[in-house]
Amino acid sequence: MSDDLRQMAERYARREAGMSRYSLLQPDVWQLVQERQRAILQGLSARGWHDVAGLRLVEVGCGAGATCWSSCARASHPAI
């Protein structure tokens, strides 16, 4: 195995051994989630959409749907 491949394999092994890279228990991940939520809410508010309860949201191509699920917590009705 080449040195580059060995180093890459070692990095992946370390990554799998630790806490999930995207766990909300990681402070930097939690900060990113909060920043994304703030940006979404500011965008909705800028368009005059202050009450999201009557909106239907569609999230396309965004991984596991975390943004969509957080929208549920804000009482919107996402189309999953």
Side-chain angles (χ1 to χ4, degrees):
M1 180 184 296
S2 76
D3 193 46
D4 288 339
L5 288 176
R6 182 186 54 73
Q7 289 177 358
M8 185 171 58
E10 288 173 0
R11 284 197 285 287
Y12 275 101
R14 283 193 305 268
R15 183 185 298 173
E16 292 172 4
M19 186 186 313
S20 171
R21 165 179 223 150
Y22 302 107
S23 169
L24 290 177
L25 297 176
Q26 301 271 17
D28 55 329
V29 174
W30 187 244
Q31 181 178 359
L32 177 66
V33 169
Q34 289 178 328
E35 288 173 2
R36 183 186 313 126
Q37 289 174 344
R38 188 177 302 112
I40 290 170
L41 291 173
Q42 286 173 342
L44 292 173
S45 179
R47 287 160 182 78
W49 299 342
H50 302 288
D51 182 11
V52 296
L55 298 178
R56 288 187 51 133
L57 303 176
V58 178
E59 183 180 50
V60 179
C62 296
T67 304
C68 192
W69 287 114
S70 67
S71 298
C72 290
R74 290 190 296 271
S76 62
H77 302 287
I80 298 175

